[in-house]
Amino acid sequence: MKGVVRYLAVAAGAFGLALLLSSPVLAQVPDFYWEEPVRLSRGVGAYPQVVRTAGRVVVIWQENQRGSDGGQAWLSLVSYAPDGKPASRDRFAGPFTYSGEAPVLFSAADDGNGTMTVAASSGERSISLYRSLDGGLTFGQPLIIEADEPGVAPRIFSGSAGGWYLFITRSQQFSRKQAGSDEAITYESLSIFLSRSADGTSWSPFAPFVGGEVVLDPNFLSSASSLDGADVVVFQTLSGGARPSYQLYSMTSADGGATWSQPVRVTTFAD
């Protein structure tokens, strides 16, 4: 009797599977296989970034051309319409010169209202901002921001209340007390600097993001996002006293970047 019951259960399961496989509902399930890769860059493409903006998906990358001591770089993109049709913009920005190995020279962000801004290092002390209102199909004339000191690695983000944040990494003066002494020494180290804009046109002067008295240096690789009306920035820094290690810290702002919280450590990486 148990054998008959087992047989009937197996038969019922097989019948149900056959019914499911032949049903119109399953026939409508999309094919989840990926298409064959398609080359986008015509040169040596690197550092791709993807931005969703103005109802389109934009893929931006950096094309590097090596020279004897450094090289030149351009920015190119492909903008995908909702139906998947691509539109290419080869080398819409550049050339930008660099020394040594090719660094990441750009970043891109959308403000949530269809405006995309691409920030690129266009000189030792200059950053060019390229703005598009149609998903990268066209760009206006670049806005050039001049800094008073050399900076690298521009990283742009939109704020929760509108406006923009632009981070760069440059030298900053720090002070640190020596062990067993009340005297402090001053020194320079790489650190994040911030410029803000409410409209993407007028920008504040770059100012230190992490105070020199905090003794979190060097600090770099800023990344930002928004949550419940607050802006959150995460960055990497060397901390830990006698045996320092690289950790991630966060800082938050609820007033559009006018003030920021003290850095809070968020990782406990081993040495």
Side-chain angles (χ1 to χ4, degrees):
M1 183 65 177
K2 291 182 179 179
V4 173
V5 172
R6 188 179 300 112
Y7 172 79
L8 291 175
V10 172
F15 175 77
L17 179 60
L19 183 62
L20 177 62
L21 292 175
S22 62
S23 67
V25 174
L26 189 63
Q28 297 174 7
V29 174
D31 186 356
F32 290 105
Y33 288 101
W34 291 94
E35 63 184 13
E36 290 296 321
V38 176
R39 180 169 180 169
L40 299 180
S41 62
R42 67 176 183 178
V44 180
Y47 314 130
Q49 296 186 28
V50 180
V51 180
R52 185 173 182 177
T53 178
R56 305 177 70 93
V57 174
V58 183
V59 184
I60 309 173
W61 65 90
Q62 183 175 314
E63 294 187 0
N64 304 317
Q65 183 174 303
R66 289 292 304 272
S68 58
D69 183 23
Q72 292 183 315
W74 293 260
L75 301 183
S76 297
L77 67 78
V78 170
S79 179
Y80 291 91
D83 61 1
K85 185 177 180 180
S88 299
R89 287 291 312 275
D90 288 335
R91 299 188 172 184
F92 70 90
F96 310 120
T97 60
Y98 61 87
S99 300
E101 296 296 323
V104 183
L105 296 175
F106 81 100
S107 67
D110 170 71
D111 69 350
N113 296 309
T115 297
M116 178 179 70
T117 301
V118 181
S121 290
S122 52
E124 187 179 58
R125 301 169 185 254
S126 63
I127 299 167
S128 294
L129 302 181
Y130 299 82
R131 188 171 68 168
S132 175
L133 305 178
D134 54 12
L137 299 179
T138 60
F139 288 88
Q141 287 296 315
L143 173 68
I144 300 177
I145 300 177
E146 297 288 350
D148 58 353
E149 295 289 341
V152 297
R155 301 178 69 85
I156 192 165
F157 304 94
S158 60
S160 60
W164 300 88
Y165 298 126
L166 178 61
F167 298 92
I168 60 172
T169 302
R170 52 176 271 192
S171 179
Q172 180 183 349
Q173 190 173 83
F174 288 83
S175 61
R176 185 192 302 267
K177 287 187 177 181
Q178 296 176 297
S181 173
D182 291 333
E183 295 184 3
I185 60 172
T186 60
Y187 58 97
E188 290 191 355
S189 185
L190 288 179
S191 189
I192 300 168
F193 278 63
L194 169 64
S195 176
R196 297 185 295 134
S197 175
D199 56 8
T201 301
S202 299
W203 291 82
S204 66
F206 282 102
F209 183 63
V210 180
E213 74 284 353
V214 177
V215 196
L216 290 176
D217 67 277
N219 57 80
F220 47 91
L221 287 179
S222 56
S223 185
S225 189
S226 301
L227 178 66
D228 296 333
D231 297 315
V232 182
V233 177
V234 178
F235 59 92
Q236 186 174 353
T237 186
L238 189 64
S239 68
R243 296 189 60 184
S245 59
Y246 281 103
Q247 304 292 337
L248 299 181
Y249 279 70
S250 69
M251 294 170 63
T252 61
S253 174
D255 55 12
T259 60
W260 294 88
S261 68
Q262 288 297 308
V264 176
R265 183 169 169 172
V266 297
T267 59
T268 56
F269 298 140
D271 292 348

